[in-house]
């Protein structure tokens, strides 16, 4: 019986050969030979993960990279023949103008498969098509791309540590936080990552991530992963191998390398009583825990927001006619209203106070602090003390899993609260991947007056939903681009 997936309309010998760089909008009947670099599913997280398309990156012998897409209605026709790294003969496809957002390629057009598209492996190709192509950016370039949603570049770096929230008892999203030389972290595809990490013969020293979306939140650079993010260890790619050999040599002297590789460390769950006991008995340190507890009330004595610097997110000092940011050392700083909410929480063992800041409260409520102030009638000169917006009061009585960041301050006699770096609801659906470069805290500095302590080199994941409902277009990489990501 014939293979129902096998296409019979193979291109004739009369069809012309076309390079990807020469494609123009419209139906293309010519034939291209391409290497399938990577493919992934693009899903709509706002519609319960509904499959939108199967996206891919295609490369030809001139190192022209282009985004390809298969509509969800045609995915079953093509999926079984897809093999990353293989060379294919491609014809009978549509060429459309490329989306200017979330680009993985500099090509002005993209390829869309249709019912008549021929896409079959070509084992006798005489074309010299590169086996990989990445686009790496410097730290300054990431900052320039942040919050623009223009490009999804790649990153490679030496591994400093790996932390994981994967536990048998935690429901909802799981995360693995990978700290590279650029201090980053990775989210959502955590179980896949953790499995590959654990099965690796030796703990990887270099990891390469693709298709990440830079964001700056509260003055911190976040590298959010997309559904197109793939990860490669050590020498699995030529680019990774080059970086690996720069880091540890050819492997012969790897045992004497100064690079410190830390095994994956799970973020352990504690009860509230265990948490309270830990800060009394343990030595001062920076550490993270998970704690499941019910919100019993909101602490009203310190309000629900503060005026923070638009650049550093630190609390501003109010003068008679302006605001001063001590962190940035600048007068006339621009003030932005930011959340700061203290939760009284409890489980069956004890009680505590957790404090959450702007990013986590905005994700929890889906309302920015500035929008909340507008709805609530508050402003820069308003009193935001005992009266909380109704939507904040709605969290009372609900149970969440809190990821907590403990710093040196938590082990002192002035300790009053625990800083929340992430809030996970009981039935929260796994968020989009997030690969984060975070160099600090998420709230104003704490001096014991009820404002959160400084979190040094924290790894707090930002959940980026803005890229979730679009096909992931791409960014171009030069074939021999140098690895320039090793900033500090």
């Amino acid at each position: 019986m014939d293979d129902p997936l096998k296409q019979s309309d193979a291109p004739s010998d009369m069809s012309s050969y076309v390079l990807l760089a020469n494609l123009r909008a419209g139906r293309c009947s010519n034939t291209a030979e391409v290497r399938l670099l990577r493919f992934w599913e693009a899903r709509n997280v706002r519609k319960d993960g509904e499959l939108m398309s199967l996206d891919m990156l295609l490369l030809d012998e001139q190192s022209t990279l282009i985004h390809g897409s298969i509509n969800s209605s045609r995915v079953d026709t093509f999926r079984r023949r897809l093999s990353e790294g293989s060379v294919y003969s491609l014809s009978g496809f549509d060429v459309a103008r490329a989306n200017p957002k979330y680009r993985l390629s500099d090509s002005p057009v993209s390829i869309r498969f249709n019912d008549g598209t021929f896409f079959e492996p070509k084992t006798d190709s005489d074309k010299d098509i590169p086996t990989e192509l990445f686009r790496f950016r410097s730290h300054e370039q990431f900052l320039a791309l942040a919050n623009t949603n223009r490009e999804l570049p790649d990153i490679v770096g030496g591994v400093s540590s790996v932390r994981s929230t994967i536990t048998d008892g935690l429901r909802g999203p799981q995360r693995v936080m990978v700290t590279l030389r650029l201090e980053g972290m990775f989210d959502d595809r955590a179980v896949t990552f953790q499995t590959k990490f654990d099965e690796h013969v030796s703990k990887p020293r270099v990891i390469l991530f693709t298709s990440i979306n830079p964001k700056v939140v509260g003055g911190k650079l976040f590298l959010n992963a997309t559904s197109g993010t793939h990860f490669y260890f050590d020498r699995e790619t030529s680019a990774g191998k080059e970086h690996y050999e720069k880091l540890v040599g050819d492997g012969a002297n790897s045992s004497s390398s100064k690079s410190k590789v830390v095994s994956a460390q799970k973020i352990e769950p504690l009860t509230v009583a265990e948490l309270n006991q830990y800060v009394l008995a343990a030595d001062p340190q920076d550490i993270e825990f998970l704690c499941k507890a019910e919100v019993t009330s909101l602490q009203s004595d310190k309000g629900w927001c503060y005026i923070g610097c638009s650049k550093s997110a630190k609390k501003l000092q109010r003068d008679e006619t302006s605001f001063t940011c001590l962190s940035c050392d600048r007068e006339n700083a621009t003030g932005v209203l930011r959340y700061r909410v203290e939760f009284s929480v409890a489980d069956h063992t004890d009680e505590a106070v957790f404090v959450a800041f702007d990013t986590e409260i905005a994700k929890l409520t889906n309302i920015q602090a500035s929008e909340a102030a507008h709805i609530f009638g508050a402003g820069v000169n308003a009193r935001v003390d005992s009266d909380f917006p109704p939507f904040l009061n709605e969290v009372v009585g609900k149970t969440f899993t809190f990821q907590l960041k403990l710093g040196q301050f938590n082990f002192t006699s002035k300790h009053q609260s625990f800083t929340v770096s992430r809030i996970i609801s009981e039935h929260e659906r796994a968020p989009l991947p997030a690969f984060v470069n975070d160099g600090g805290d998420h709230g104003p500095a704490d001096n014991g007056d009820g404002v959160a302590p400084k979190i040094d080199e924290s790894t707090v994941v930002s959940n980026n939903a803005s890229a979730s409902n679009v096909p992931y277009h791409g960014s171009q990489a030069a074939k021999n681009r140098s690895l320039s990501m090793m900033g500090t």
Side-chain angles (χ1 to χ4, degrees), residues 83-376:
S83 175
E84 292 184 350
S86 297
V87 175
Y88 290 81
S89 179
L90 171 65
S91 65
F93 51 89
D94 294 318
V95 181
R97 182 175 299 176
N99 191 321
K101 297 290 188 179
Y102 309 103
R103 295 174 65 87
L104 289 162
S105 168
D106 279 347
S107 174
V109 297
S110 62
I111 289 175
R112 297 178 181 176
F113 286 39
N114 57 52
D115 291 335
T117 298
F118 178 87
F119 191 67
E120 290 293 338
K122 188 173 181 61
T123 58
D124 58 348
S125 175
D126 58 355
K127 303 296 189 296
D128 184 17
I129 303 176
T131 58
E132 64 184 47
L133 195 63
F134 301 107
R135 190 219 32 213
F136 301 110
R137 295 299 195 197
S138 67
H139 183 265
E140 290 74 19
Q141 290 170 323
F142 272 118
L143 289 174
L145 287 172
N147 301 334
T148 66
N149 294 329
R150 291 201 312 263
E151 298 181 4
L152 305 179
D154 309 317
I155 181 174
V156 64
V159 182
S160 296
S161 66
V162 179
R163 292 174 295 158
S164 170
T165 63
I166 297 177
T167 64
D168 294 336
L170 177 62
R171 300 180 60 180
Q174 303 283 8
R175 301 187 178 191
V176 171
M177 286 142 283
V178 180
T179 302
L180 303 180
R181 290 284 182 88
L182 208 62
E183 282 88 39
M185 67 172 65
F186 186 71
D187 178 42
D188 187 35
R189 298 178 67 191
V191 175
T192 303
F193 178 91
Q194 183 76 50
T195 300
K196 182 174 181 178
F197 184 90
D198 291 340
E199 292 176 350
H200 203 255
V201 176
S202 59
K203 299 304 180 185
R205 294 174 177 265
V206 171
I207 303 180
L208 188 155
F209 294 90
T210 69
S211 310
I212 55 178
N213 189 16
K215 296 284 184 180
V216 170
V217 180
K220 313 301 184 298
L221 177 60
F222 287 68
L223 304 181
N224 295 338
T226 68
S227 61
T229 297
H230 288 56
F231 44 84
Y232 305 93
F233 292 163
D234 290 344
R235 302 177 181 180
E236 289 184 330
T237 64
S238 296
K241 180 181 179 182
E242 179 181 350
H243 195 88
Y244 180 92
E245 291 178 350
K246 288 180 180 178
L247 186 67
V248 300
D250 60 6
N253 60 344
S254 60
S255 61
S256 60
S257 171
K258 295 181 180 180
S259 174
K260 180 181 179 181
V261 179
V262 182
S263 300
Q265 302 171 352
K266 290 185 178 181
I267 299 179
E268 299 294 341
L270 296 182
T271 65
V272 175
E274 290 171 336
L275 183 66
N276 288 331
Q277 181 61 31
Y278 187 86
V279 296
L280 293 175
D283 294 329
Q285 59 190 287
D286 294 330
I287 194 170
E288 290 179 279
F289 290 112
L290 298 171
C291 185
K292 184 176 181 180
E294 177 186 345
V295 178
T296 57
S297 66
L298 302 178
Q299 299 272 324
S300 62
D301 55 334
K302 296 188 178 68
W304 58 273
C305 63
Y306 69 98
I307 301 171
C309 176
S310 61
K311 183 178 180 181
S312 69
K314 301 292 186 180
K315 188 175 182 178
L316 294 177
Q317 299 295 317
R318 178 181 294 207
D319 301 323
E320 289 187 5
T321 59
S322 63
F323 290 102
T324 299
C325 180
L326 300 179
S327 176
C328 298
D329 191 24
R330 62 182 180 132
E331 299 178 352
N332 299 316
T334 301
V336 178
L337 209 61
R338 299 181 182 277
Y339 285 115
R340 183 194 179 281
V341 180
E342 290 192 4
F343 300 107
S344 293
V345 302
D347 62 7
H348 65 285
T349 65
D350 205 349
E351 300 176 346
V353 176
F354 294 169
V355 57
F357 289 94
D358 197 61
T359 301
E360 293 309 314
I361 298 297
K363 288 194 295 183
L364 180 66
T365 62
N366 290 319
I367 300 176
Q368 298 294 327
S370 57
E371 297 172 341
H374 179 74
I375 296 170
F376 195 51

